[in-house]
Amino acid sequence: MPLTDLSLADCRDFRPELPDPADFDAFWSSTSSGAPAADNRRPAQNPVFTPVDTGLTRIRTYDVTLPGFAVRPVHGWLRSPGCPTGASDCSTSGPITSTSPTRRSI
């Protein structure tokens, strides 16, 4: 447990004074004007979900690509429960946190 000089209630109520930089509004106006939805020259892009074969039998894994800042692609993996067809129970035990494919069944 971290130690602070404020009570829990004081921590929740704490609102520091954070002055905005002089160019704050101009920065965000120019930044958001490059977003796909705000730029009519580029259509908004939907995320792309590509299945990844990890060898896991009860977890579906997808390589996800979506447009990020300045329409640069952002990549990540999405894992979700995936029972074999006809299975009535889809429970797993232990944390599922690996970021690389493993060759084992759960």
Side-chain angles (χ1 to χ4, degrees):
M1 179 91 180
L3 300 175
T4 66
D5 60 345
L6 299 175
S7 69
L8 179 59
D10 289 339
C11 286
R12 288 181 174 157
D13 293 336
F14 182 68
R15 301 290 183 266
E17 290 186 29
L18 301 172
D20 290 339
D23 64 344
F24 184 81
D25 290 330
F27 170 80
W28 284 110
S29 292
S30 66
T31 298
S32 59
S33 69
D39 187 344
N40 294 330
R41 294 170 295 167
R42 290 187 308 251
Q45 298 172 352
N46 292 325
V48 176
F49 297 86
T50 306
V52 176
D53 180 11
T54 63
L56 300 174
T57 59
R58 294 192 175 229
I59 296 185
R60 291 188 185 114
T61 303
Y62 301 92
D63 182 3
V64 182
T65 305
L66 57 138
F69 178 73
V71 196
R72 292 185 183 125
V74 175
H75 301 277
W77 276 19
L78 169 66
R79 290 192 167 164
S80 65
C83 293
T85 304
S88 60
D89 179 25
C90 191
S91 62
T92 61
S93 62
I96 310 297
T97 58
S98 174
T99 58
S100 63
T102 56
R103 298 294 176 187
R104 64 184 176 90
S105 296
I106 294 181

